[in-house]
Amino acid sequence: MHYLDQRWISLVTFLPLLAALALLLIPSRRERLVRHFTLGATLATFVLSLPLYFEYARLIAHASPAAGVKGLFLFEVPLEWISAFSVHYLVGVDGISLLLVLLTTFLGPICALSAYRYITVRVKQYMIAMLLLQFGMTGVFVALDMFLFYVFWELMLIPMYLIIGVWGGPRRIYAAVKFFVYTMVGSVLMLAAILYLYKSCGSSFDYFELAARTRMLGATAQLVLFAGFALAFAIKVPMFPFHTWLPDAHVEAPTAGSVILAGVMLKMGTYGFLRFAIGLFPGAAFQAAPLISMLAVIGIVYGALVAMVQPDVKKLVAYSSVSHLGFVMLGMFAFNTMGMQGSVLQMINHGISTGGLFLLVGMLYERRHTRMIRDFGGLGRVVPVFAVFLMILTLSSIGLPGTNGFTGEFLILLGSFRNSVPLTVAAATGVVLAAVYMLWMYQRVMFGEVTNEANAEIEDMRPREWAYMLPLVLMVFWIGLHPNTFLALIEPSVNALLQQIGVTDGGAAAQAGPALRHAAAMLAP
C-alpha cells in the first residue's frame, strides 16, 4: 500500500474482535456503557475503512490495463500461519470485495444504534455477538487463502445462530436450528471441495495459485468441485429451491439481526459465487450457467409472487430478498461486464434498501407488537415522517429511476439481454411484480382511515431513529444519482475477472450464450 499502513485491512477486520474482547471487561449491569462502547467501536471501524476506498481509487487510476486480477488488489504482506500445510494469513481487497467490506462497516453502527431500544435482555452478550459477527463477515470478504476463508465463513455461523436463537421471536429455536443445519450442510460440502482442491493443485490454499492451477484439472473434477462450492453458496444466497430457511430466520431474528442477515450475510453467498465458484472453475461455471440462470429467474418470479400474498410485512420483505437476489445471480452468470457490474452493485443496493425496510418494520413492531398488514391502515396521517422514509425505501426496492435499485437492475437486465431475450423478459416480470407487492403493502399500511384505535396513538420517528435511517436514505439517492462513484471501482475488477476466466466482454455471449440460449429455449412456450 502507498500511504496506509501495511496492516490497515487487518485493523478494519480485527477491530470488532478487539472491541468484543474489551466488552468482556465491562460489567453486564452497565448496559448504557456497553451500548455506547459498541456504537463507538463500530463507528471507529467504519471511519477506518474509508481510507481503503480512496487508496483503492488511487490504485486503479494508476493501474496498467494489463495488470490482471492480482494487480487490482490492495494486499497486505502475507504471514505464514500453519507452515506444515502452507496456510498463510493472506488478505486483500479489490473493487468487488472493497465495497462489500464498506457495506459491512457502514451497517455496523446502524445496527448498534437500532439495538439501543429493542434489545433489553443480555445486552452485553448481544453486543459481543454482533461484533463477532462483523469480524467474521469482514474476514470472509478479505480472505485470499482458502483455509482462512473457510475459518471466517464458519466463525460468523455461531454468533448469527445465537442472535436468532436467544434474542429472536417465539419460534426462534426452530429458525436458528434450521439456519444452522442448512449452512452447515453447505459448509461441509465446501470443506470437502477445498481439501480436494488442496491435494490436487500443489498443496496450496493461495487463491491466485489455485486459480492458475485449476485449469489443469479435468472437466469432471472441475464440475464436481464447482458443485461443492456452488451448493454452499446457493444455500447462503439463498437461491431457489434452497431458500426455505431464510423467511423463518428473518421473521424470528431481532431487527438488527435481520438487517445484518439481509444486508451482508446473504452477500457472502453471491460474493463466493463470483470470487471462488466462477473464478476457480470457469469451465464448470459455463456448463452450469443454464441451470443457475433458470433457477435465478424462477427465484425472481417465485419470490415476488409469494411476497405478494404475505400477511406479515416482515415476511413480505424476506421473500422480496429471494426475488432481488435472483437478479444478482442472473447478472453474474451473464458473463459480461454490464451483467456482473449490475450484479455487484445490486448486492450493495439490496443491503441498503432491504436493511432499511427491516429497520422500519422493526419500528412498527416495537410500537404495536404486530407485523400483520391487516392491523394497520391510515398510518400516513399519524406518522408522516415514518411514511416518507417507508416510501423512499419502497421506491428504492422496486427500482425507481433516481434511486439505487434502478441502476443495478437496469445493468443486470441489459447484461442478461445480450445472452437471452426470453430469460430477460421473464426476469423483467419480477420488476413489475415487485412494484405490485411493495406499493400494495404501502397502500394498505399507510392510506385509508385509521380504523384501529391503537394506531391513532403511534409515535412518529424518534431522533435516534432519524440518526440511523438518514445515512441509508442518503445512500439510496447517492447511488441512484451518482452510480459511477461505485461502478468506477467495480468495472476494472469485473473486467479482470472476466479476463481471468477467459472471457472478454465481447466474447461473453459467444462463450456463455449457447448455454443460456439453451436455458431460454427450455423456458420458452
Side-chain angles (χ1 to χ4, degrees):
M1 293 185 190
H2 184 58
Y3 64 83
L4 295 181
D5 183 82
Q6 288 288 321
R7 296 294 167 203
W8 201 269
I9 297 173
S10 293
L11 178 64
V12 172
T13 305
F14 281 85
L15 190 56
L17 174 63
L18 296 175
L21 294 174
L23 269 183
L24 294 174
L25 304 175
I26 301 178
S28 298
R29 66 179 183 281
R30 301 194 64 183
E31 293 181 354
R32 189 181 179 86
L33 177 60
V34 167
R35 290 188 170 100
H36 289 342
F37 181 85
T38 305
L39 177 61
T42 50
L43 267 175
T45 307
F46 173 60
V47 171
L48 289 172
S49 67
L50 292 178
L52 290 173
Y53 174 90
F54 298 105
E55 177 66 3
Y56 191 75
R58 190 197 64 79
L59 171 78
I60 59 173
H62 297 90
S64 159
V69 170
K70 198 169 183 178
L72 291 173
F73 267 85
L74 281 177
F75 283 110
E76 286 190 0
V77 177
L79 294 176
E80 198 173 78
W81 183 14
I82 308 174
S83 55
F85 299 101
S86 300
V87 177
H88 291 82
Y89 175 77
L90 174 60
V91 295
V93 291
D94 67 349
I96 299 169
S97 53
L98 171 62
L99 291 182
L100 292 168
V101 169
L102 291 175
L103 177 67
T104 307
T105 61
F106 173 72
L107 290 177
I110 289 173
C111 290
L113 197 57
S114 72
Y116 265 52
R117 191 179 177 93
Y118 304 145
I119 301 300
T120 55
V121 296
R122 299 188 182 93
V123 175
K124 176 177 162 180
Q125 291 87 338
Y126 177 84
M127 295 300 179
I128 290 175
M130 288 297 289
L131 288 167
L132 291 177
L133 190 58
Q134 181 167 340
F135 164 63
M137 293 185 301
T138 309
V140 164
F141 295 132
V142 302
L144 292 171
D145 179 283
M146 295 304 300
F147 186 88
L148 185 65
F149 169 77
Y150 187 77
V151 169
F152 280 123
W153 182 274
E154 291 298 292
L155 271 179
M156 63 81 214
L157 182 59
I158 300 300
M160 193 68 224
Y161 170 79
L162 292 175
I163 287 170
I164 298 173
V166 176
W167 292 275
R171 296 175 69 243
R172 58 185 179 274
I173 300 299
Y174 168 76
V177 170
K178 194 172 182 181
F179 161 78
F180 192 88
V181 169
Y182 266 69
T183 308
M184 274 306 295
V185 169
S187 297
V188 169
L189 292 172
M190 183 168 65
L191 177 62
I194 289 174
L195 293 177
Y196 184 86
L197 197 60
Y198 174 77
K199 292 296 291 181
S200 308
C201 295
S203 301
S204 172
F205 287 109
D206 186 305
Y207 169 74
F208 299 104
E209 290 183 18
L210 290 175
R213 293 173 185 172
T214 49
R215 313 299 168 84
M216 295 180 285
L217 294 173
T220 304
Q222 277 207 38
L223 201 55
V224 170
L225 289 169
F226 174 85
F229 279 91
L231 278 171
F233 300 143
I235 291 170
K236 185 67 77 180
V237 172
M239 287 187 68
F240 177 89
F242 306 105
H243 64 282
T244 58
W245 65 268
L246 182 71
D248 291 317
H250 268 314
V251 169
E252 298 305 322
T255 296
S258 294
V259 174
I260 284 295
L261 189 61
V264 182
M265 196 170 284
L266 307 187
K267 312 307 177 303
M268 290 165 51
T270 51
Y271 171 76
F273 261 110
L274 196 58
R275 176 74 69 215
F276 299 107
I278 293 176
L280 294 177
F281 316 106
F286 287 136
Q287 289 186 54
L291 176 63
I292 291 180
S293 299
M294 202 157 41
L295 291 177
V297 172
I298 292 172
I300 290 169
V301 178
Y302 169 82
L305 289 174
V306 178
M308 198 179 300
V309 296
Q310 292 306 310
D312 182 331
V313 66
K314 195 173 187 185
K315 215 163 188 175
L316 182 153
V317 178
Y319 273 105
S320 77
S321 289
V322 177
S323 185
H324 289 307
L325 290 164
F327 278 104
V328 173
M329 295 304 298
L330 183 67
M332 192 184 302
F333 277 81
F335 293 113
N336 56 48
T337 302
M338 277 190 293
M340 282 194 172
Q341 265 190 303
S343 174
V344 176
L345 187 64
Q346 197 61 6
M347 293 184 208
I348 309 300
N349 294 337
H350 178 261
I352 293 167
S353 304
T354 306
L357 285 170
F358 275 123
L359 286 169
L360 292 171
V361 173
M363 290 176 204
L364 273 186
Y365 185 75
E366 189 263 339
R367 286 159 170 80
R368 286 279 284 107
H369 302 290
T370 177
R371 296 186 302 259
M372 294 296 127
I373 295 174
R374 64 171 182 269
D375 292 334
F376 300 106
L379 292 190
R381 300 177 182 178
V382 182
V383 286
V385 176
F386 178 90
V388 171
F389 275 93
L390 183 59
M391 174 53 80
I392 292 171
L393 288 166
T394 296
L395 295 177
S396 160
S397 181
I398 64 180
L400 188 80
T403 64
N404 57 338
F406 173 75
T407 312
E409 286 186 355
F410 186 68
L411 285 172
I412 287 170
L413 292 175
L414 275 180
S416 174
F417 191 82
R418 293 178 61 181
N419 283 316
S420 168
V421 175
L423 274 180
T424 309
V425 171
T429 60
V431 179
V432 179
L433 293 172
V436 173
Y437 66 73
M438 289 302 295
L439 293 177
W440 189 31
M441 177 275 291
Y442 189 88
Q443 179 207 336
R444 287 178 288 168
V445 172
M446 289 296 156
F447 294 149
E449 298 297 324
V450 179
T451 55
N452 189 328
E453 289 184 6
N455 292 334
E457 305 299 326
I458 291 181
E459 181 186 0
D460 209 342
M461 285 176 60
R462 307 174 183 114
R464 186 183 295 122
E465 292 165 340
W466 274 82
Y468 61 73
M469 289 305 300
L470 276 175
L472 291 167
V473 170
L474 176 66
M475 292 302 296
V476 165
F477 291 116
W478 184 5
I479 299 176
L481 298 174
H482 300 285
N484 276 339
T485 313
F486 300 87
L487 293 176
L489 265 65
I490 298 170
E491 185 175 2
S493 294
V494 162
N495 284 334
L497 178 63
L498 287 170
Q499 193 177 8
Q500 174 186 318
I501 63 176
V503 176
T504 59
D505 193 18
Q511 297 195 39
L516 295 183
R517 282 195 292 275
H518 176 67
M522 294 175 68
L523 286 177

